[in-house]
Amino acid sequence: MSKKLVVEKTSSKGIVIDKAYVIQKIDLSPERYTISSKEDEVSKFEDALNIAKQEIANLAKGSEIFAGHNMIIEDITLHDAVISKINDDSKNVQIALSEAIEEIAAIFHMMDDEYMKERAADVKDVGSRLMCKLKGVSNNPFENIKENVVIIAEDLTPSDTALIDLNFVKGFITELGGVTSHVSIIARNLGLPALVGVNGIMSSVKEGDIIAMDASKGNIVINPDENELEEYRKLEEEFKKEEELLKQLENLKAVTKDGREVQLCANVGNILDIEMAVKHNIDGIGLFRSECVYMDNTHFPTEEEQFEIYKKAAELCNGKEVTIRTLDIGGDKSLPYYKFDFEENPFLGWRAIRISLELEDVFKAQLKAILRASAFGYVRIMYPMIISIEEIVRANQILEECKKELREANIKFDEDIEVGMMIETPASVILAEEFAKYVDFFSIGTNDLTQYMLVVDRGNKRIADMYNSFHPVVLESIKKVIEAGHKQNIKVGMCGEFASDARAAKILLGLGLDEFSMSASEINNVKKQILETSYEEAKNYANQVLENKTVESVMEFLKK
Ligand code: PEP
Ligand code: MG
């Protein structure tokens, strides 16, 4: 008998029928057992160490991250600490390793130097690799995938998704995560059908089950019968045909019937995303989530490391805009190498621009990298989570210092680089017209704006029904921000997920939005809406939608 699951919200559309590959969370806690021979424990450690050394040495050839790991594993300190715990204290190898790693990481963590402090995370990474060897488990959960599969997992991190082989992985379903969570965004960027936040998926699926998923509608069938298989094969065909039709729009500009053109740009997190996005004839990058560069790292990326990435981005976009958002960390996003203090309300806490303004060296390294990249294309800077004019003024002062230092060093950059801000807080909506005097462009971040306007945590499944960007308060905010921006003659874009909602396209167009930025895979869908309407018609439509003062009546109106 097949089993069905239905999810309300889609994460990344598409149809897939394939075998399930279940990723079990690996338990790396050390086992407690009494040892029978010290020699055996020592030799288990020496074996694990030799294999891990070999692996790391190979990885280190192409990566600075692993060069750091190499130094740690080659250092005699770790080796001697483990051996002495076995020989002198009669501890088993797993306990000995776990304690030694904790002690060495603590020493690094206590150091004053930021760089050395960050090495604590590397020590722990090396420890995890060794523990995997001792327990006989793989540290790459995707290593054994050699056929087409749908991944089933508790959760996936950005570094997990970097390990995924797209030749075989055809979709994924996770127990945790929301529509605007990083795992959803990554799925859309990769163009993989995915559903996240699926309650009970881990307990319902076992390895090798067949999964039929219509991620566009939120339907999952586990072990479908012949009729259901037939139905999903048909859906798959239809979806492919639809995608083909939409693909034909790719070379058209997004212009309404009466001639208003809007920009359709891509949201990206890394160079791979950009390489995929530029194939779709996009108008540029409306949001480069630079925090992905920091999250996929073992240390704060240096100016040089970032420069290489941003320069590549500028070159790939070949004169089209590349909007780089400065580090937007905190909230639900952490860094493996930086210890954030515990916060009662992280979304209302130390995040985004607040961190940049405090960790000034980190901020300057990023700004200089962006400035230097601006010599190679049309690069723009965007500040996240702004709530006050003072923040803009201070950030721009630091930017000016960076420019001055580059000038003094005779390093080229775009002297007229545009600087914009995200509108994603109630404060920035209310004071939008004033803010517009200080920046060159706005980009509305509806993911956070919706959460802060409605006071609904964007990742909380319990209240996910309340999280709705069609709420009149959010629509009114968008209207106000676009009007404020236009009054001060600056362009207003949107890079929150709402920009990719086909139901919202006509409203946003009618409200005067200049740029829509979204996962590249969604662009044609929105373009279709723009091509099929006129600006005049869209303005009327937007006015009518905004006459509705409850979410229900807005949703009813849209259905008509
Ligand atoms: C947003 O808040 O809408 C946004 C685009 O930023 P992020 O999703 O990265 O918070
Ligand atoms: Mg945001």
Side-chain angles (χ1 to χ4, degrees), residues 337-378:
Y337 46 85
Y338 188 84
K339 193 168 173 334
F340 288 86
D341 289 339
F342 172 78
E343 293 185 311
E344 288 287 350
N345 294 298
F347 273 113
L348 305 182
W350 196 55
R351 54 170 302 200
I353 195 74
R354 299 169 189 182
I355 296 181
S356 293
L357 293 181
E358 232 173 281
L359 303 185
E360 215 174 290
D361 290 347
V362 172
F363 193 34
K364 281 182 90 170
Q366 177 165 42
L367 290 175
K368 280 185 168 175
I370 302 176
L371 283 168
R372 287 170 57 193
S374 72
F376 297 86
Y378 175 20

Side-chain angles (χ1 to χ4, degrees), residues 182 185 287 289 291 325 328 333 351 422 424 445-448 458 495-496:
H182 270 253
I185 291 166
L287 169 64
R289 286 188 164 92
E291 66 271 18
R325 174 172 75 185
D328 186 2
K333 298 174 221 159
R351 54 170 302 200
M422 303 262 312
E424 50 185 347
T446 46
N447 303 343
D448 276 316
R458 68 195 251 189
C495 58

